[in-house]
Amino acid sequence: MAAQLRQLRQKIKTVKSTAKITRAQEMIATSRIVKAQQAVAASKPYADQITQALTALVSHHVGIDHPLLEEQPADNRSAVLIITSDRGFCGAYNANVIREAESLIKALRDEGREPVPYVVGNKGITWYRFRDRDVAESWNGFSDRPVFGNAERIGRRLAEDFLKTDAEGGVGEIHVVYTEFVSMLTQTVRVTRLMPLEIEEAESSKVPPAYEFEPSAQAALDLLLPNYIESRIFHMLLQSAASFQASVRRAMKSATDNANELIGVYTRQMNQARQAAITQEISEIVGGADALADSGGE
């Protein structure tokens, strides 16, 4: 009985230590979500403005052309950029992204295309490495706090591969699998085709202004398209970072609640064991007293 009490006390101590850790992780994630949301909101005006500028450029100069705007039916390879996290403790965040990416890869293969994975985050890299599956390129170390330089490196590599032919190791289209931050409770995995670009002009009752580009519209397009791609990737990285922090907060809160519940269960078991031990000791004392009384009466 004493051994059982010691075991229960040790379990309670261990679970309380775990609860302190999960509670601390929950508080850290809560504080970081606010900053991640602010970063997403700050990037949106820039993304909207560069999209409007690119749309106006393409709309007013129909004759200009760029390789990033063209379909490449001859290229049979499709790049799939998979944005995961560097750390765990985030529930099903990474599993959902990888599952959606695998569904996309299967769909591409069914269409007769060869998918080529590009992975962001240690969790995705480890998943592919464990299964001995090759990736074209990988990036890590910034999934929870991305900066524009990270998106710039990714965008340049993807754009370079898109401009190559299959024989040169290029790809004909690029898809991105990331997690969109909808709210603190809702994060949705999205699949977006990044290239070839599909520019859709927003509906408006106003006549769009006429632009004059210097030195030329073609030169402006050459400059805007790479920036547009990098800004899109940066926005997706920020969305994924905010979603990751929200997933960590939710997972750690659930872990803390479960730990507190388990502490209650162990505490009840310890109290029952202590009561049983006390009852047993009283029974032994009473039994011994009765035995002495009986022997004295004889």
Side-chain angles (χ1 to χ4, degrees):
M1 192 65 68
Q4 182 182 4
L5 286 173
R6 284 195 300 270
Q7 290 178 355
L8 289 171
R9 289 193 185 99
Q10 183 61 39
K11 288 181 179 179
I12 291 173
K13 182 179 179 181
T14 302
V15 176
K16 282 184 176 179
S17 299
T18 302
K20 289 180 180 178
I21 296 172
T22 55
R23 176 59 179 168
Q25 292 289 338
E26 178 188 349
M27 295 176 65
I28 292 171
T30 301
S31 65
R32 289 180 176 175
I33 287 174
V34 177
K35 295 180 180 178
Q37 287 180 287
Q38 291 173 348
V40 173
S43 70
K44 191 175 186 304
Y46 176 79
D48 291 343
Q49 288 298 320
I50 196 172
T51 300
Q52 292 176 12
L54 191 59
T55 300
L57 177 59
V58 175
S59 301
H60 287 83
H61 299 79
V62 181
I64 64 175
D65 197 5
H66 195 280
L68 294 178
L69 295 174
E70 297 177 353
E71 298 283 347
Q72 301 185 21
D75 292 340
N76 197 41
R77 290 155 52 90
S78 297
V80 180
L81 177 63
I82 306 167
I83 302 178
T84 63
S85 67
D86 289 319
R87 299 185 293 112
F89 299 107
C90 53
Y93 171 82
N94 292 302
N96 292 336
V97 174
I98 293 174
R99 181 168 57 249
E100 194 68 29
E102 287 298 295
S103 298
L104 173 62
I105 288 173
K106 182 178 182 302
L108 291 173
R109 284 177 177 155
D110 292 341
E111 294 175 2
R113 304 191 65 86
E114 179 187 351
V116 182
Y118 295 72
V119 185
V120 175
N122 284 328
K123 291 300 179 180
I125 296 171
T126 302
W127 192 89
Y128 277 89
R129 184 181 300 160
F130 179 77
R131 288 160 180 77
D132 293 326
R133 295 172 59 176
D134 295 330
V135 297
E137 184 64 86
S138 61
W139 302 268
N140 60 356
F142 56 84
S143 65
D144 55 342
R145 294 181 180 179
V147 296
F148 188 77
N150 306 132
E152 193 175 24
R153 291 197 303 271
I154 298 172
R156 285 179 179 176
R157 172 61 193 272
L158 291 175
E160 289 173 0
D161 288 355
F162 183 79
L163 296 175
K164 296 177 182 178
T165 63
D166 275 358
E168 297 171 334
V171 295
E173 59 183 17
I174 297 175
H175 302 267
V176 183
V177 184
Y178 71 104
T179 308
E180 180 184 16
F181 181 86
V182 180
S183 67
M184 294 289 288
L185 298 177
T186 306
Q187 298 85 44
T188 306
V189 180
R190 300 290 186 190
V191 177
T192 302
R193 194 180 84 163
L194 188 62
M195 287 188 269
L197 297 177
E198 296 175 339
I199 305 298
E200 297 181 1
E201 192 165 357
E203 296 181 0
S204 176
S205 58
K206 297 181 180 180
V207 178
Y211 291 91
E212 184 174 339
F213 296 94
E214 293 183 0
S216 65
Q218 185 66 51
L221 182 63
D222 292 340
L223 178 64
L224 280 177
L225 270 174
N227 289 336
Y228 173 77
I229 294 167
E230 292 161 8
S231 67
R232 285 284 305 276
I233 293 177
F234 184 48
H235 190 67
M236 294 174 186
L237 290 174
L238 292 175
Q239 289 275 359
S240 296
S243 300
F244 168 72
Q245 298 297 346
S247 298
V248 170
R249 179 186 178 278
R250 188 168 58 251
M252 292 299 98
K253 185 179 185 306
S254 178
T256 303
D257 294 342
N258 291 337
N260 291 332
E261 183 179 351
L262 193 58
I263 289 171
V265 172
Y266 287 154
T267 300
R268 287 193 297 271
Q269 291 179 357
M270 187 178 67
N271 291 336
Q272 292 172 357
R274 187 185 296 115
Q275 291 172 0
I278 294 173
T279 302
Q280 182 179 356
E281 291 176 0
I282 293 174
S283 298
E284 291 175 353
I285 292 171
V286 172
D290 292 341
L292 288 174
D294 293 340
S295 61
E298 293 176 356

